[in-house]
Every structure is written in C-alpha cells, then in structure tokens.
Amino acid sequence: TNWTDEKSFSLPSTVSIDHINPGNITNGTTNKEFNPDGTCSTGSIYLKNSEGKKYKITLVPSTGRIKKTSGWD
C-alpha cells in the first residue's frame, strides 16, 4: 500500500537543526516516516536555539512516539 500525506514544518528563526542521526546529516534533506500501523522510522533530530539551549528529538520506531530530551553532547 502506498500512501502519502507529506507535511513540512518550519522552525522559528531562532531555532536551527544542528544535525540528524543516523548518518550525522548536517545539510540537505532527509525524511522521517510515520506509518499507519503506529510505527515510524528511527532517528534523532538535534536542535539548538540562539540562546544556546539544545534539544534532542528522538523517534521511537516501535511506538511511533517522539521523545524530547533537554540538552545533548
């Protein structure tokens, strides 16, 4: 079954993506998928803002949930 409901999101100008894993992507485009069965692709998105705060957004494949963690190294 093919299905597509692509959504794009813009970050506020004070927030930027530092990198995306897996693959340590620092520029270009990557896709993260959320499936009808409640699962999703794996990976983490590392965000930072102009004040130096950092957040890690992790996709949990088995549940399709997103986990937000403050800070990262």
Side-chain angles (χ1 to χ4, degrees):
T1 302
N2 290 336
W3 62 279
T4 301
D5 187 13
E6 291 188 22
K7 306 262 188 218
S8 294
F9 298 94
S10 297
L11 295 173
S13 61
T14 57
V15 177
S16 64
I17 296 174
D18 186 78
H19 65 282
I20 299 173
N21 281 337
N24 200 26
I25 299 166
T26 58
N27 60 31
T29 301
T30 187
N31 293 317
K32 297 298 176 189
E33 298 176 355
F34 292 86
N35 305 310
D37 65 358
T39 62
C40 67
S41 59
T42 189
S44 296
I45 303 167
Y46 296 79
L47 305 173
K48 62 182 178 180
N49 70 13
S50 59
E51 298 174 0
K53 292 182 182 176
K54 297 178 178 180
Y55 292 93
K56 176 181 169 184
I57 309 298
T58 303
L59 284 66
V60 182
S62 60
T63 62
R65 294 185 181 253
I66 297 172
K67 178 181 173 186
K68 181 184 87 170
T69 305
S70 181
W72 47 269
D73 294 325

